[in-house]
């Protein structure tokens, strides 16, 4: 994809700080990190999100995550991991990627709601109706 920033990074047209690469994925430090070592796992193939990913790719990414967690623990002394995948309205770059955020202490990363939420009871009423009928 010509206009895709991640395709350009994978091709080397835009510089990046690589943490891992193989035939299927390219992994590099996020330019706007949540914690030290925050990186992105990106398939070399331009696909939109996890819906378009093959089982083979998803299993492979799972193994890459496990390997990187060990490496990060040894190199950066991280003690945990937060894994994020954004799709739909939450996805800024429309090339499938997983955020791998090494953790160092409790509450060093925060996900917070930016609008008023329905009550859990109200939400669950809808879920029950739609999911189980
Ligand atoms: P999204 O919101 O799509 O899940 O996340 C896209 C991520 O890509 C963001 O965390 C953003 O900081 C990162 N990003 C966007 N452009 C670049 C870039 O040119 N280089 C690097 N290293 N990361 C980028
Ligand atoms: Zn792309």
């Amino acid at each position: 994809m010509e206009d895709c920033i991640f395709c350009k990074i994978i091709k080397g047209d835009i510089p990046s700080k690589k943490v891992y690469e193989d035939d299927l994925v390219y992994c590099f430090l996020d330019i706007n990190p949540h914690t030290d070592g925050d990186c992105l796992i990106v398939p070399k193939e331009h696909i939109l999100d996890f819906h378009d990913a093959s089982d083979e790719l998803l299993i492979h990414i799972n193994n890459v995550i496990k390997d990187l967690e060990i490496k990060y623990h040894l190199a950066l002394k991280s003690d945990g991991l937060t894994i994020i995948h954004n799709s739909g309205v939450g996805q800024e770059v429309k090339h499938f990627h997983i955020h791998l955020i090494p953790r160092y202490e409790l509450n060093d990363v925060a996900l917070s709601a930016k609008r008023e939420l329905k009550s859990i009871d109200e939400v669950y009423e809808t879920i029950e109706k739609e999911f189980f009928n």
Side-chain angles (χ1 to χ4, degrees):
M1 288 285 286
E2 272 169 31
D3 289 340
C4 173
I5 197 154
F6 286 174
C7 282
K8 287 180 185 163
I9 286 174
I10 291 163
K11 268 173 59 188
D13 293 347
I14 294 176
S16 64
K17 301 228 178 312
K18 176 170 87 173
V19 296
Y20 177 75
E21 180 178 15
D22 61 32
D23 289 348
L24 294 180
V25 296
Y26 185 77
C27 312
F28 55 98
L29 295 184
D30 194 306
I31 205 167
N32 188 19
H34 293 87
T35 66
D36 296 340
D38 185 339
C39 73
L40 300 166
I41 301 179
V42 182
K44 288 188 168 174
E45 182 189 4
H46 179 94
I47 53 176
L48 176 60
D49 61 28
F50 77 106
H51 295 98
D52 294 334
S54 65
D55 290 349
E56 183 202 4
L57 176 62
L58 292 174
I59 289 166
H60 181 69
I61 286 175
N62 210 40
N63 290 327
V64 171
I65 290 171
K66 287 182 186 173
D67 286 349
L68 280 174
E69 179 171 32
I70 293 167
K71 285 181 169 165
Y72 272 15
H73 175 67
L74 293 174
L76 295 175
K77 311 288 175 248
S78 58
D79 194 10
L81 204 58
T82 291
I83 301 164
I84 294 178
H85 170 258
N86 292 320
S87 66
V89 293
Q91 183 179 9
E92 201 182 311
V93 178
K94 302 295 185 188
H95 179 140
F96 178 33
H97 55 280
I98 304 280
H99 296 256
L100 212 64
I101 306 172
R103 300 297 299 268
Y104 300 89
E105 56 192 67
L106 195 63
N107 299 329
D108 56 359
V109 171
L111 256 190
S112 56
K114 283 199 175 160
R115 60 181 178 84
E116 206 169 305
L117 301 179
K118 297 171 186 165
S119 74
I120 293 178
D121 286 343
E122 189 184 343
V123 171
Y124 195 67
E125 210 175 286
T126 311
I127 288 173
E128 263 188 319
K129 239 186 260 159
E130 295 296 325
F131 286 20
F132 303 115
N133 282 325

